[in-house]
Amino acid sequence: MNLPSFSQAPDAVAIDLDGTLLNSRTQLSARNRAAVERCIRQGIPVVIATQRAARTVRRIIGDELVNNCSRVLLNGA
């Protein structure tokens, strides 16, 4: 996959769960987890967007990521 080269870090990263961050088995891969953790370590705010409820997101991605990311849940409800 060819990704663009950025001259500066983004102001934030917003990412959807289903079909983007999660694999076809509704799991967060080690590679995707490492990418999100790297953003957090570099001070880049991460926003998780999903139609899922908070308890489901916590179960899927874990307490540590949930506690370090902003979330837009239930389609923004």
Side-chain angles (χ1 to χ4, degrees):
M1 174 185 298
N2 293 323
L3 298 174
S5 176
F6 295 100
S7 60
Q8 64 183 38
D11 293 326
V13 173
I15 190 161
D16 181 59
L17 284 184
D18 295 304
T20 306
L21 195 62
L22 302 178
N23 63 24
S24 61
R25 295 180 297 189
T26 315
Q27 297 172 332
L28 181 61
S29 71
R31 181 179 182 202
N32 284 353
R33 177 177 294 281
V36 171
E37 290 171 346
R38 183 174 178 200
C39 288
I40 293 167
R41 278 193 313 275
Q42 292 180 356
I44 301 168
V46 177
V47 180
I48 303 292
T50 184
Q51 56 82 29
R52 295 172 181 266
R55 67 184 177 279
T56 305
V57 173
R58 186 173 295 279
R59 181 179 49 79
I60 293 170
I61 68 172
D63 289 335
E64 186 175 342
L65 284 186
V66 166
N67 293 337
N68 287 296
C69 295
S70 296
R71 295 162 314 277
V72 177
L73 305 173
L74 297 171
N75 288 328

Coordinates of all heavy atoms in Angstrom, one line a residue:
M1 N 0.8 -1.2 0.0 CA 0.0 0.0 0.0 C 0.9 1.2 0.0 O 1.8 1.3 0.8 CB -0.9 0.0 1.3 CG -1.7 1.2 1.4 SD -2.6 1.3 3.0 CE -3.7 -0.1 2.8
N2 N 0.6 2.2 -0.8 CA 1.3 3.4 -0.9 C 0.6 4.5 -0.1 O -0.5 4.9 -0.5 CB 1.5 3.9 -2.4 CG 2.4 3.0 -3.1 OD1 3.4 2.4 -2.6 ND2 2.1 2.7 -4.4
L3 N 1.2 5.0 0.9 CA 0.6 6.0 1.8 C 1.3 7.3 1.5 O 2.5 7.3 1.2 CB 0.7 5.6 3.2 CG 0.0 4.3 3.6 CD1 0.3 4.0 5.1 CD2 -1.5 4.5 3.4
P4 N 0.6 8.4 1.7 CA 1.2 9.7 1.4 C 2.3 10.0 2.5 O 2.2 9.5 3.6 CB 0.1 10.7 1.5 CG -1.0 10.0 2.3 CD -0.8 8.5 2.1
S5 N 3.2 10.9 2.2 CA 4.2 11.3 3.1 C 3.8 12.7 3.6 O 3.6 13.6 2.8 CB 5.6 11.4 2.4 OG 6.5 11.9 3.3
F6 N 3.6 12.9 4.9 CA 3.2 14.2 5.4 C 4.4 15.0 5.9 O 5.3 14.4 6.5 CB 2.2 14.0 6.6 CG 1.0 13.3 6.2 CD1 0.8 11.9 6.4 CD2 -0.1 14.0 5.6 CE1 -0.4 11.3 6.0 CE2 -1.2 13.4 5.2 CZ -1.4 12.0 5.4
S7 N 4.4 16.3 5.7 CA 5.4 17.1 6.1 C 5.3 17.5 7.6 O 6.3 17.9 8.2 CB 5.5 18.4 5.3 OG 4.3 19.1 5.4
Q8 N 4.1 17.3 8.2 CA 3.9 17.5 9.6 C 2.9 16.6 10.1 O 2.1 16.0 9.3 CB 3.5 19.0 9.9 CG 2.1 19.3 9.3 CD 1.7 20.8 9.5 OE1 2.6 21.6 9.5 NE2 0.5 21.0 9.8
A9 N 2.9 16.3 11.4 CA 1.9 15.4 12.0 C 0.5 16.0 11.8 O 0.3 17.2 11.9 CB 2.2 15.2 13.4
P10 N -0.5 15.1 11.7 CA -1.9 15.6 11.6 C -2.3 16.2 13.0 O -1.8 15.9 14.0 CB -2.7 14.4 11.3 CG -1.9 13.2 11.7 CD -0.4 13.7 11.6
D11 N -3.3 17.1 13.0 CA -3.9 17.7 14.2 C -4.6 16.6 15.0 O -4.7 16.7 16.2 CB -4.8 18.9 13.9 CG -4.0 20.0 13.3 OD1 -2.8 20.2 13.7 OD2 -4.5 20.7 12.4
A12 N -5.2 15.6 14.3 CA -6.0 14.6 15.0 C -6.2 13.5 13.9 O -6.0 13.7 12.7 CB -7.3 15.1 15.5
V13 N -6.5 12.3 14.4 CA -6.9 11.1 13.6 C -8.2 10.7 14.0 O -8.4 10.4 15.2 CB -5.8 10.0 13.7 CG1 -6.3 8.8 13.0 CG2 -4.5 10.4 13.3
A14 N -9.2 10.6 13.1 CA -10.5 10.1 13.4 C -10.7 8.8 12.5 O -10.4 8.8 11.3 CB -11.6 11.1 13.0
I15 N -11.1 7.8 13.2 CA -11.1 6.5 12.5 C -12.4 5.7 12.9 O -12.8 5.7 14.0 CB -9.9 5.7 12.7 CG1 -9.8 4.5 11.8 CG2 -9.7 5.3 14.1 CD1 -8.4 3.9 11.6
D16 N -13.0 5.1 11.9 CA -14.2 4.2 12.1 C -13.7 2.8 12.5 O -12.6 2.4 12.2 CB -15.0 4.1 10.8 CG -16.2 3.3 10.9 OD1 -17.1 3.6 11.8 OD2 -16.3 2.3 10.2
L17 N -14.5 2.2 13.3 CA -14.1 0.8 13.7 C -14.4 -0.2 12.6 O -13.5 -0.9 12.1 CB -14.9 0.4 15.0 CG -14.5 1.0 16.3 CD1 -15.3 0.4 17.4 CD2 -13.0 0.7 16.6
D18 N -15.7 -0.4 12.3 CA -16.0 -1.5 11.4 C -15.6 -1.3 10.0 O -15.8 -0.3 9.4 CB -17.6 -1.7 11.4 CG -18.0 -2.2 12.8 OD1 -17.6 -3.2 13.2 OD2 -18.9 -1.5 13.4
G19 N -14.8 -2.3 9.5 CA -14.3 -2.2 8.1 C -13.1 -1.3 7.9 O -12.6 -1.2 6.9
T20 N -12.6 -0.7 9.0 CA -11.5 0.2 9.0 C -10.4 -0.3 10.0 O -9.4 -0.8 9.7 CB -11.9 1.6 9.2 OG1 -12.9 2.0 8.3 CG2 -10.7 2.6 9.0
L21 N -10.7 0.0 11.3 CA -9.8 -0.4 12.3 C -9.9 -1.8 12.7 O -8.9 -2.5 13.0 CB -10.0 0.5 13.6 CG -9.0 0.5 14.6 CD1 -7.7 1.1 14.1 CD2 -9.4 1.4 15.8
L22 N -11.1 -2.4 12.6 CA -11.2 -3.8 13.0 C -11.2 -4.7 11.8 O -11.5 -4.3 10.7 CB -12.6 -4.0 13.7 CG -12.9 -3.2 14.9 CD1 -14.3 -3.4 15.4 CD2 -11.8 -3.4 16.0
N23 N -10.7 -5.9 12.0 CA -10.7 -6.9 10.9 C -12.1 -7.6 10.7 O -13.0 -7.2 11.4 CB -9.6 -7.9 11.1 CG -9.7 -8.8 12.3 OD1 -10.8 -9.0 12.8 ND2 -8.6 -9.3 12.8
S24 N -12.1 -8.5 9.8 CA -13.4 -9.2 9.4 C -13.9 -10.0 10.6 O -15.1 -10.4 10.6 CB -13.2 -10.0 8.2 OG -12.3 -11.0 8.4
R25 N -13.1 -10.3 11.6 CA -13.5 -11.0 12.8 C -13.8 -10.1 14.0 O -13.9 -10.5 15.1 CB -12.5 -12.1 13.2 CG -12.3 -13.1 12.1 CD -11.3 -14.1 12.5 NE -10.0 -13.4 12.6 CZ -8.9 -14.0 12.7 NH1 -8.8 -15.3 12.8 NH2 -7.7 -13.4 12.8
T26 N -14.0 -8.8 13.7 CA -14.3 -7.8 14.7 C -13.2 -7.8 15.7 O -13.5 -7.6 16.9 CB -15.7 -8.0 15.3 OG1 -16.6 -8.3 14.3 CG2 -16.2 -6.8 16.0
Q27 N -12.0 -7.8 15.3 CA -10.8 -7.8 16.2 C -9.9 -6.7 15.8 O -9.8 -6.4 14.6 CB -10.1 -9.1 16.2 CG -10.9 -10.3 16.7 CD -10.2 -11.6 16.4 OE1 -9.3 -11.7 15.5 NE2 -10.5 -12.6 17.3
L28 N -9.2 -6.1 16.8 CA -8.2 -5.1 16.5 C -6.9 -5.8 16.4 O -6.4 -6.4 17.3 CB -8.2 -4.1 17.7 CG -7.2 -3.0 17.6 CD1 -7.5 -2.1 16.4 CD2 -7.2 -2.2 18.9
S29 N -6.3 -5.7 15.2 CA -5.1 -6.4 14.9 C -3.9 -5.7 15.7 O -4.0 -4.6 16.1 CB -4.7 -6.4 13.4 OG -4.4 -5.1 13.0
A30 N -2.9 -6.5 15.9 CA -1.7 -6.0 16.6 C -1.1 -4.8 15.8 O -0.7 -3.8 16.4 CB -0.6 -7.1 16.7
R31 N -1.2 -4.8 14.5 CA -0.6 -3.7 13.7 C -1.4 -2.5 13.9 O -0.9 -1.4 14.1 CB -0.6 -4.1 12.2 CG 0.0 -3.1 11.3 CD 0.0 -3.6 9.9 NE 0.6 -2.6 9.0 CZ 0.4 -2.5 7.7 NH1 -0.4 -3.4 7.1 NH2 0.9 -1.5 7.0
N32 N -2.8 -2.6 13.9 CA -3.6 -1.4 14.0 C -3.5 -0.9 15.4 O -3.5 0.3 15.6 CB -5.1 -1.8 13.7 CG -5.3 -1.8 12.2 OD1 -4.4 -1.5 11.4 ND2 -6.4 -2.3 11.8
R33 N -3.5 -1.8 16.4 CA -3.3 -1.3 17.8 C -2.0 -0.5 18.0 O -2.0 0.6 18.6 CB -3.3 -2.5 18.8 CG -3.0 -2.1 20.2 CD -3.1 -3.2 21.2 NE -4.4 -3.8 21.3 CZ -5.4 -3.3 22.0 NH1 -5.3 -2.2 22.6 NH2 -6.6 -3.9 22.0
A34 N -0.9 -1.0 17.4 CA 0.4 -0.3 17.5 C 0.3 1.0 16.8 O 0.9 2.0 17.3 CB 1.5 -1.2 16.8
A35 N -0.4 1.1 15.7 CA -0.5 2.4 15.0 C -1.3 3.4 15.9 O -0.9 4.6 16.0 CB -1.2 2.2 13.7
V36 N -2.4 3.0 16.5 CA -3.1 3.9 17.4 C -2.3 4.3 18.6 O -2.2 5.5 18.9 CB -4.5 3.2 17.8 CG1 -5.2 4.1 18.9 CG2 -5.4 3.0 16.6
E37 N -1.6 3.3 19.2 CA -0.7 3.6 20.3 C 0.4 4.6 19.9 O 0.8 5.5 20.7 CB -0.2 2.4 20.9 CG -1.2 1.5 21.6 CD -0.8 0.1 22.0 OE1 0.3 -0.3 21.5 OE2 -1.5 -0.5 22.8
R38 N 0.9 4.5 18.7 CA 2.0 5.4 18.3 C 1.4 6.8 18.2 O 2.1 7.8 18.6 CB 2.5 4.9 17.0 CG 3.7 5.7 16.5 CD 4.3 5.2 15.2 NE 5.4 6.0 14.8 CZ 5.8 6.0 13.5 NH1 5.4 5.1 12.7 NH2 6.8 6.8 13.2
C39 N 0.2 7.0 17.6 CA -0.4 8.3 17.5 C -0.5 8.9 18.9 O -0.1 10.1 19.1 CB -1.7 8.2 16.9 SG -1.7 7.9 15.1
I40 N -1.0 8.1 19.8 CA -1.2 8.6 21.2 C 0.1 9.0 21.8 O 0.3 10.1 22.4 CB -1.9 7.5 22.1 CG1 -3.3 7.3 21.6 CG2 -1.9 7.9 23.5 CD1 -4.0 6.1 22.1
R41 N 1.2 8.2 21.7 CA 2.5 8.5 22.2 C 3.0 9.8 21.6 O 3.8 10.5 22.3 CB 3.5 7.4 22.0 CG 3.4 6.2 22.9 CD 4.6 5.3 22.8 NE 5.0 4.9 21.4 CZ 4.4 3.9 20.8 NH1 3.5 3.2 21.3 NH2 4.8 3.6 19.6
Q42 N 2.7 10.1 20.4 CA 3.2 11.3 19.7 C 2.4 12.5 20.0 O 2.6 13.6 19.5 CB 3.3 11.0 18.2 CG 4.4 10.0 17.8 CD 4.5 9.8 16.3 OE1 3.7 10.3 15.5 NE2 5.5 9.0 15.9
G43 N 1.3 12.3 20.8 CA 0.5 13.4 21.2 C -0.6 13.8 20.2 O -1.2 14.9 20.2
I44 N -0.8 12.9 19.2 CA -1.9 13.1 18.2 C -3.2 12.6 18.8 O -3.3 11.4 19.1 CB -1.5 12.4 16.9 CG1 -0.2 12.9 16.4 CG2 -2.6 12.6 15.9 CD1 0.4 12.1 15.2
P45 N -4.2 13.4 18.9 CA -5.5 13.0 19.4 C -6.1 12.0 18.4 O -6.1 12.1 17.2 CB -6.3 14.2 19.5 CG -5.4 15.4 19.5 CD -4.2 14.9 18.7
V46 N -6.7 10.9 19.0 CA -7.3 9.8 18.2 C -8.8 9.8 18.6 O -9.1 9.8 19.8 CB -6.7 8.5 18.5 CG1 -7.4 7.4 17.7 CG2 -5.2 8.5 18.1
V47 N -9.6 9.9 17.6 CA -11.1 9.8 17.8 C -11.6 8.5 17.1 O -11.4 8.3 15.9 CB -11.8 11.0 17.1 CG1 -13.3 11.0 17.3 CG2 -11.2 12.4 17.6
I48 N -12.3 7.7 17.9 CA -12.9 6.5 17.4 C -14.3 6.8 17.1 O -15.1 7.3 18.0 CB -12.8 5.4 18.5 CG1 -11.4 5.1 18.9 CG2 -13.5 4.1 18.0 CD1 -10.5 4.5 17.9
A49 N -14.8 6.5 15.9 CA -16.1 6.8 15.5 C -16.8 5.4 15.2 O -16.2 4.6 14.5 CB -16.2 7.7 14.3
T50 N -18.0 5.2 15.7 CA -18.7 4.0 15.5 C -20.2 4.1 15.8 O -20.6 5.0 16.6 CB -18.1 2.8 16.3 OG1 -18.7 1.6 16.0 CG2 -18.2 3.1 17.8
Q51 N -21.0 3.2 15.3 CA -22.4 3.1 15.6 C -22.6 2.3 16.9 O -23.7 2.2 17.4 CB -23.2 2.6 14.5 CG -22.8 1.2 14.0 CD -23.3 0.1 14.8 OE1 -24.3 0.1 15.4 NE2 -22.5 -1.0 14.8
R52 N -21.5 1.7 17.4 CA -21.6 0.8 18.5 C -21.7 1.5 19.9 O -21.4 2.7 20.0 CB -20.3 -0.1 18.6 CG -20.2 -1.0 17.4 CD -18.9 -1.7 17.4 NE -18.7 -2.6 16.3 CZ -19.0 -3.9 16.3 NH1 -19.5 -4.5 17.4 NH2 -18.8 -4.7 15.3
A53 N -22.2 0.8 20.9 CA -22.3 1.4 22.2 C -21.0 1.4 22.9 O -20.1 0.6 22.6 CB -23.3 0.6 23.0
A54 N -20.8 2.2 24.0 CA -19.6 2.4 24.7 C -19.1 1.0 25.3 O -17.9 0.7 25.2 CB -19.8 3.4 25.8
R55 N -20.0 0.2 25.9 CA -19.5 -1.0 26.5 C -19.0 -2.0 25.5 O -18.0 -2.7 25.7 CB -20.7 -1.7 27.3 CG -21.8 -2.1 26.5 CD -23.0 -2.7 27.3 NE -24.1 -3.0 26.5 CZ -25.0 -2.2 26.0 NH1 -24.9 -0.9 26.3 NH2 -26.0 -2.7 25.3
T56 N -19.5 -2.0 24.2 CA -19.0 -2.8 23.2 C -17.7 -2.4 22.7 O -16.8 -3.2 22.5 CB -20.0 -2.9 22.0 OG1 -21.3 -3.2 22.5 CG2 -19.6 -3.8 20.9
V57 N -17.5 -1.1 22.5 CA -16.2 -0.5 22.1 C -15.1 -0.9 23.1 O -14.0 -1.3 22.8 CB -16.3 1.0 21.9 CG1 -14.9 1.6 21.6 CG2 -17.2 1.3 20.8
R58 N -15.4 -0.7 24.4 CA -14.5 -1.1 25.5 C -14.1 -2.5 25.4 O -12.9 -2.9 25.6 CB -15.1 -0.7 26.8 CG -14.1 -0.9 28.0 CD -14.7 -0.3 29.3 NE -15.0 1.1 29.3 CZ -14.0 2.0 29.5 NH1 -12.8 1.7 29.7 NH2 -14.4 3.3 29.4
R59 N -15.1 -3.4 25.2 CA -14.8 -4.8 25.1 C -13.9 -5.2 23.9 O -13.0 -6.0 24.0 CB -16.1 -5.6 25.0 CG -15.9 -7.1 25.0 CD -17.2 -7.9 24.9 NE -18.2 -7.4 23.9 CZ -18.1 -7.7 22.6 NH1 -17.1 -8.5 22.1 NH2 -19.0 -7.2 21.7
I60 N -14.1 -4.5 22.8 CA -13.4 -4.8 21.6 C -12.0 -4.3 21.6 O -11.0 -5.0 21.3 CB -14.1 -4.3 20.3 CG1 -15.4 -5.1 20.1 CG2 -13.3 -4.4 19.1 CD1 -16.3 -4.4 19.1
I61 N -11.8 -3.0 22.0 CA -10.4 -2.4 21.9 C -9.7 -2.3 23.2 O -8.5 -2.0 23.2 CB -10.5 -1.1 21.2 CG1 -11.2 0.0 21.9 CG2 -11.0 -1.2 19.8 CD1 -11.1 1.4 21.3
G62 N -10.4 -2.5 24.3 CA -9.7 -2.5 25.6 C -9.8 -1.2 26.3 O -9.9 -0.1 25.7
D63 N -9.6 -1.3 27.6 CA -9.7 -0.1 28.5 C -8.6 0.9 28.2 O -8.9 2.1 28.2 CB -9.5 -0.5 30.0 CG -10.8 -1.2 30.5 OD1 -11.9 -1.0 29.9 OD2 -10.6 -2.0 31.5
E64 N -7.4 0.5 28.0 CA -6.3 1.4 27.8 C -6.5 2.3 26.6 O -6.4 3.6 26.7 CB -5.0 0.7 27.6 CG -3.8 1.7 27.5 CD -2.5 0.9 27.5 OE1 -2.4 -0.3 27.8 OE2 -1.5 1.6 27.1
L65 N -6.9 1.8 25.4 CA -7.2 2.6 24.3 C -8.4 3.4 24.4 O -8.4 4.6 24.1 CB -7.3 1.7 23.0 CG -6.0 1.2 22.4 CD1 -6.3 0.5 21.1 CD2 -5.0 2.3 22.2
V66 N -9.5 2.8 25.0 CA -10.7 3.6 25.2 C -10.4 4.8 26.1 O -10.9 5.9 25.8 CB -11.8 2.7 25.9 CG1 -12.9 3.6 26.4 CG2 -12.3 1.7 24.8
N67 N -9.6 4.6 27.1 CA -9.3 5.7 28.1 C -8.4 6.8 27.4 O -8.3 7.9 28.0 CB -8.7 5.2 29.3 CG -9.7 4.4 30.1 OD1 -10.9 4.5 30.0 ND2 -9.2 3.5 31.0
N68 N -7.7 6.5 26.4 CA -6.8 7.4 25.7 C -7.3 8.0 24.4 O -6.5 8.7 23.8 CB -5.4 6.8 25.6 CG -4.7 6.6 26.9 OD1 -4.4 7.6 27.5 ND2 -4.5 5.4 27.3
C69 N -8.5 7.6 24.0 CA -9.1 8.1 22.8 C -10.4 8.8 23.0 O -11.1 8.5 24.0 CB -9.3 7.0 21.8 SG -7.9 6.1 21.2
S70 N -10.7 9.8 22.2 CA -12.0 10.4 22.3 C -12.9 9.4 21.4 O -12.4 8.7 20.6 CB -12.1 11.8 21.6 OG -11.3 12.6 22.4
R71 N -14.2 9.5 21.7 CA -15.1 8.6 21.0 C -16.4 9.3 20.6 O -16.9 10.1 21.3 CB -15.5 7.4 21.9 CG -14.3 6.6 22.3 CD -14.5 5.7 23.5 NE -15.1 6.3 24.7 CZ -14.4 6.9 25.6 NH1 -13.1 7.2 25.4 NH2 -15.0 7.4 26.7
V72 N -16.8 8.9 19.4 CA -18.2 9.3 18.9 C -18.9 8.0 18.7 O -18.5 7.2 17.9 CB -18.1 10.1 17.5 CG1 -19.5 10.4 17.0 CG2 -17.2 11.3 17.6
L73 N -19.9 7.8 19.6 CA -20.6 6.5 19.6 C -22.0 6.6 19.2 O -22.6 7.7 19.2 CB -20.5 6.0 21.1 CG -19.1 5.9 21.7 CD1 -19.2 5.5 23.1 CD2 -18.3 4.9 20.9
L74 N -22.6 5.5 18.9 CA -24.0 5.4 18.6 C -24.4 6.3 17.5 O -25.4 7.1 17.5 CB -24.9 5.6 19.8 CG -24.8 4.6 20.9 CD1 -25.5 5.0 22.2 CD2 -25.3 3.2 20.5
N75 N -23.6 6.4 16.4 CA -23.7 7.3 15.3 C -23.9 8.7 15.7 O -24.6 9.5 15.1 CB -24.9 6.9 14.4 CG -24.7 5.6 13.7 OD1 -23.5 5.3 13.3 ND2 -25.7 4.8 13.5
G76 N -23.2 9.1 16.8 CA -23.2 10.5 17.2 C -24.2 10.8 18.2 O -24.3 11.9 18.7
A77 N -25.1 9.8 18.6 CA -26.1 10.1 19.5 C -25.6 10.4 20.9 O -26.1 11.1 21.7 CB -27.1 8.9 19.6

